[in-house]
Structures are given as C-alpha cells and as structure tokens.
Amino acid sequence: MRIDVVTIFPGYLAPLREALLGRAVGTGLLDIAVHDLRDWTHDVHQAVDDAPYGGGPGMVMRPHVWGEALDDVLAADPRPARLVVPTPAGRPFTQAAAHAYAAQERLVFACGRYEGIDQRVVDHYAASMPVDEISIGDYVLVGGEVAVLVVVEAVARLLPGVLGNPRSAAEDSFSDGLLEGPAYTRPEVWRGHAVPEVLRSGNHGAIARWRRDRALERTAERRPDLIAALPPDALDEADRAL
Ligand code: ADE
C-alpha cells in the first residue's frame, strides 16, 4: 500500500518510521511519503493560510497551494487513490473504515491546521475521486497530523504480513462488535490478585464462554451504544442469559 501525507509539519509524521510501521516500510508492505505543503508556495513568506471570508477567528488554508500540492502528489503514482482529510467536523473513523482503507491501494492524507482547509479543495477532488473527511473522536486537536498517525496505524496493522500473528487483528476489540475482555499472563498470583481459575483449566469451551461473557459485560458497562448496534442474530441464548 502507498501512503502520501501532505502537511506543513513533516516532522510530526516521524513516528511512521518507528516500530511496527517502520518494519512494514522496511519490508516493502508499506510505502510512505511525507510532503511539505510549503514546497508548493510561491511567495517569500511561504504563506499557506489567509483570513476567513465572512470573518471570525483563525485562518483558513489557501486552496491554490493545496490544489498544486495534491495535483502533483496524485499524479506521481498511477494507482487509484482515496483522499482523506482529517477534521473534527468529519465522519467518525471506525474499525470498519480501517478495514475499508486497508483494501485500498493508495491513501493520500491532507493535514489541515488552523480553522481547516478551504472547502473547495475537498469539493474539487470529490468530483473525480473518493474523498473522506474523517474525525478520530469528539475532541479538537490542533491539526490533522496526529489523526493521520492514528489512522495509518489502525490501517497498517490490518495489512497481511504486518502483524506477527494475524489472529491478533481477527480477535480485536470491535471485530465482533464487542470490546475485548481482560487478559492475564504469569504469575498466577500477583500482589494477592489471582488469575481467573477458568483460564488455567485447559477447558477451551469454558474459556471461550468466559471470554465472551467478560466481553459482553465490559461492553454493556462501557459502551452500551455498541450493544444496541449489534445485529439481531449477534447474541446467542447463553449471551442473552448473562
Ligand atoms: N483535526 C483536529 N481535530 C481532529 C479530530 N478530532 N479528528 C481528526 N482530525 C482533527
């Protein structure tokens, strides 16, 4: 998969070269390029923003700088791309979206700062390619860079070969619509707290049932919205008995 990120702070994206993502880049599973938006400015001040029409606080990122940058970045690779624009005003980014993105050949991220990017940039590209404005949560960051790190990590770990054990992704929180339950490792007793007996029983059926029950309990308590969103056939008799 090819990923391009256009930003005025390329250094912010340095973590894309670390750990799991760095390894995926090293093995060729991921090809990441980070571009400095200011490379497409023509004035001495390299200005990327201007005052908003209609007044109000803050500055808006100028459309022509973004247009030149995105035209060049998109033209540099023939693979069909999806443009992703992180913004607190976007649709929520979810695990389902991460799976959809993982099936793409190419993602191009446009990082806004200030009060965002002139809306015509999104409207212009949306006429000729898929474009998503996405939010990573109901809070406001100072720019899209951290959101890109979040999205790229969520997507990259779903690419075949990136995780050591593919079951890790298959058995994640959200993969069955529920939060994952608790996990334990040695020792059997730590500071007086024992590992639940059933996990040491060797009874795989009982362990699976116990894990399912804990996932259901945790989800009901912390994210009742997820329980409400489960398809009608998602709960079996034993689930309902809980
Ligand atoms: N930019 C600023 N806040 C954001 C958020 N919550 N999600 C995505 N991009 C953002």
Side-chain angles (χ1 to χ4, degrees):
M1 169 184 267
R2 164 80 181 189
I3 290 176
D4 291 272
V5 186
V6 185
T7 167
I8 56 169
F9 294 114
Y12 237 106
L13 284 307
L16 294 177
R17 311 272 167 206
E18 295 286 335
L20 183 116
L21 293 178
R23 235 181 1 261
V25 170
T27 57
L29 291 168
L30 257 188
D31 175 17
I32 301 180
V34 178
H35 312 272
D36 188 343
L37 179 69
R38 292 195 203 275
D39 290 348
W40 284 274
T41 56
H42 302 291
D43 61 308
V44 285
H45 301 295
Q46 297 194 300
V48 293
D49 61 330
D50 204 342
Y53 271 112
M59 300 287 268
V60 178
M61 296 188 99
R62 307 166 93 178
H64 50 274
V65 183
W66 272 108
E68 286 190 35
L70 292 173
D71 284 352
D72 284 353
V73 167
L74 289 167
D77 189 303
R79 283 171 282 189
R82 174 175 290 272
L83 178 62
V84 181
V85 184
T87 161
R91 293 180 199 278
F93 177 71
T94 60
Q95 188 65 14
H99 278 280
Y101 286 5
Q104 297 267 313
E105 286 182 85
R106 193 172 180 215
L107 296 172
V108 176
F109 291 93
C111 296
R113 287 252 149 186
Y114 317 113
E115 292 303 304
I117 302 172
D118 187 302
Q119 190 61 39
R120 290 168 294 181
V121 175
V122 162
D123 297 346
H124 173 76
Y125 289 97
S128 58
M129 65 185 292
V131 180
D132 296 334
E133 292 178 274
I134 54 139
S135 166
I136 62 160
D138 291 341
Y139 38 77
V140 181
L141 306 167
V142 290
E145 286 78 6
V146 170
V148 170
L149 294 177
V150 168
V151 173
V152 172
E153 185 163 313
V155 171
R157 64 186 288 285
L158 299 176
L159 299 176
V162 169
L163 284 188
N165 183 349
R167 276 183 55 201
S168 303
E171 293 173 14
D172 274 341
S173 277
F174 303 117
S175 59
D176 57 2
L178 300 176
L179 303 182
E180 255 188 311
Y184 304 87
T185 186
R186 278 184 283 256
E188 235 174 82
V189 180
W190 178 76
R191 297 191 181 179
H193 303 273
V195 170
E197 189 68 42
V198 60
L199 296 180
R200 295 182 282 119
S201 68
N203 180 339
H204 298 295
I207 291 172
R209 185 66 247 169
W210 184 88
R211 287 192 167 139
R212 174 87 179 165
D213 290 346
R214 298 295 81 70
L216 282 161
E217 270 175 6
R218 183 177 272 189
T219 309
E221 193 179 308
R222 300 179 182 179
R223 294 292 305 277
D225 57 307
L226 294 180
I227 300 280
L230 288 174
D233 59 352
L235 299 180
D236 62 25
E237 284 304 311
D239 289 340
R240 270 187 276 270
L242 192 70

